[in-house]
Amino acid sequence: MGTDCLFCRIVAGEIPATIVRETATTLAFRDIDPKAPTHVLVIPKEHYADVVTLAEGDPGLAGELLATAAVVAEEEGLTTDGFRLMFNTGPWGGQEVFHVHAHLLGGAPLGPMLCR
Ligand code: 5GP
Ligand code: ZN
């Protein structure tokens, strides 16, 4: 993917981010507008638009993304009290950045999954 993808530009180092973990294939960095005390985005370095194209295109990489999210959850001290890991997908899912990313949220009780 080229320079028009925000998260590809973060992977390329063209846009700064607070990186908390990097592997050969994944990157985890703090959300610029955190919705919880801990809010980390976990992405594959390779561009996939959403979790469906990632899972279909490279399920192994999807597993590596989950493994990175789990390590970050441990490092951020979230595993005892719990946390939320979610992929907003498509317009109804509220996805705004079309480079697949898992939101890792925790650090306080997160309340119900959805507001009604
Ligand atoms: P989405 O709505 O696509 O699931 O989530 C996109 C997330 O990316 C939002 O939580 C938003 O705050 C975050 N975000 C948008 N632009 C930037 C940026 O330039 N840097 C970082 N670190 N996060 C960003
Ligand atoms: Zn991208």
Side-chain angles (χ1 to χ4, degrees):
M1 190 69 182
T3 51
D4 54 343
C5 172
L6 177 62
F7 289 174
C8 281
R9 295 188 70 188
I10 287 177
V11 171
E14 296 170 8
I15 293 175
T18 303
I19 293 168
V20 297
R21 187 166 190 84
E22 180 170 10
T23 71
T25 57
T26 66
L27 193 67
F29 53 94
R30 298 202 187 281
D31 196 290
I32 203 168
D33 181 18
K35 315 300 189 296
T38 300
H39 188 174
V40 173
L41 303 175
V42 188
I43 68 170
K45 290 181 175 176
E46 188 177 347
H47 183 92
Y48 288 90
D50 59 30
V51 71
V52 175
T53 52
L54 172 62
E56 290 177 350
D58 192 340
L61 181 57
E64 290 168 20
L65 186 154
L66 287 180
T68 296
V71 172
V72 173
E74 289 271 10
E75 289 177 344
E76 296 284 323
L78 304 181
T79 53
T80 301
D81 291 324
F83 59 90
R84 191 167 290 159
L85 188 66
M86 64 181 200
F87 296 88
N88 293 330
T89 305
W92 282 22
Q95 186 176 4
E96 294 179 348
V97 177
F98 286 84
H99 180 132
V100 60
H101 49 282
H103 292 263
L104 175 64
L105 296 153
L110 297 171
M113 190 169 63
L114 294 171
C115 297
R116 293 180 189 273

